[in-house]
Amino acid sequence: KISLNTHELVDYALALFKHTDIKTSKAVTEFLFNRFKFFLKDQFKPNLIEAVLATSSGNFYSDFNKLICLTNFINSKEGNETFLSIKRILSLLEPVKKFSTLDKKLFNTHEKNLYAALTQAKTEVQQSITKENFEATLKIFNQLAKKIDVFFDKVLIMDDDHTIRANRISLLQEVGKPFLRFADFSHIDL
């Protein structure tokens, strides 16, 4: 239950021995991460472990707490609904290799509403993750997911107009970014 950064700890330990080789630092850190994964496998689903560790800052205590919150959230009704919204975005973005620049001038009302919700969510997610209040982060995701669902109900993403379609896909790419601050949800299957 000690909150510290593994990367910084390894670098500090190696510096004490006047050993600053980047390869060694990476090897030791990778070893520690593998041991941590092994420790976690009896308590959490492997795909949740991969999702959280894919975005890890190197603080194992923080990652452990994220896993507890994510497990509880995914197993709840609202968590499952939120996850489905996230997966919907990810499935649309997966085949897209190149994204265009987001042009807010092309937004219709529903796009403006989603972008406003996204802007608010980004700020709130930043604050909750900084404070390591992961339950609050997941509640923010749930609120954003509701806006995403309304957006999908009202807007045709694959519009015939290539410019509008590209802009909508870029908007969804932006919407996906706050989720990646917490975990890489592409690793999770329910």
Side-chain angles (χ1 to χ4, degrees):
K1 295 184 179 181
I2 298 173
S3 185
L4 50 85
N5 186 300
T6 306
H7 303 292
E8 292 172 4
L9 180 66
V10 168
D11 289 345
Y12 177 76
L14 290 173
L16 289 174
F17 293 98
K18 309 226 187 308
H19 193 56
T20 56
D21 180 24
I22 292 174
K23 279 185 173 179
T24 304
S25 177
K26 284 183 180 179
V28 172
T29 302
E30 186 177 322
F31 171 78
L32 292 173
F33 265 87
N34 287 333
R35 297 303 304 155
F36 184 52
K37 281 183 189 179
F38 183 78
F39 167 76
L40 295 172
K41 75 178 181 114
D42 291 335
Q43 300 171 63
F44 303 102
K45 292 180 180 178
N47 60 359
L48 296 182
I49 295 169
E50 291 300 323
V52 168
L53 293 185
T55 63
S56 176
S57 65
N59 184 326
F60 291 164
Y61 185 58
S62 177
D63 293 337
F64 184 79
N65 288 331
K66 265 189 194 179
L67 275 163
I68 291 170
C69 291
L70 183 59
T71 299
N72 293 336
F73 187 69
I74 291 286
N75 291 329
S76 71
K77 182 181 179 220
E78 69 179 11
N80 198 330
E81 291 168 355
T82 302
F83 175 73
L84 291 175
S85 296
I86 296 168
K87 283 302 249 189
R88 199 169 174 187
I89 289 173
L90 293 175
S91 68
L92 274 170
L93 296 177
E94 196 171 277
V96 178
K97 301 294 181 223
K98 185 179 177 186
F99 297 98
S100 63
T101 305
L102 189 62
D103 185 354
K104 295 178 224 165
K105 289 180 260 171
L106 296 175
F107 284 175
N108 67 22
T109 303
H110 302 295
E111 291 164 314
K112 288 177 185 175
N113 292 342
L114 180 59
Y115 190 77
L118 169 65
T119 302
Q120 179 180 350
K122 278 183 178 178
T123 303
E124 292 173 352
V125 165
Q126 173 66 38
Q127 292 169 350
S128 63
I129 286 180
T130 299
K131 294 177 183 175
E132 295 191 11
N133 187 348
F134 302 128
E135 288 175 356
T137 305
L138 293 168
K139 286 180 184 177
I140 296 163
F141 288 166
N142 180 254
Q143 293 303 311
L144 184 57
K146 290 175 185 176
K147 304 287 185 184
I148 292 167
D149 291 340
V150 169
F151 177 77
F152 277 124
D153 289 343
K154 304 287 184 185
V155 175
L156 176 63
I157 306 301
M158 297 304 178
D159 194 271
D160 291 336
D161 183 321
H162 176 71
T163 306
I164 291 174
R165 178 177 54 236
N167 202 54
R168 288 178 179 165
I169 290 172
S170 293
L171 175 59
L172 291 178
Q173 180 189 28
E174 288 300 312
V175 170
K177 287 179 181 177
F179 297 110
L180 290 172
R181 297 253 353 210
F182 186 86
D184 184 348
F185 287 87
S186 67
H187 289 279
I188 303 173
D189 290 318
L190 292 182

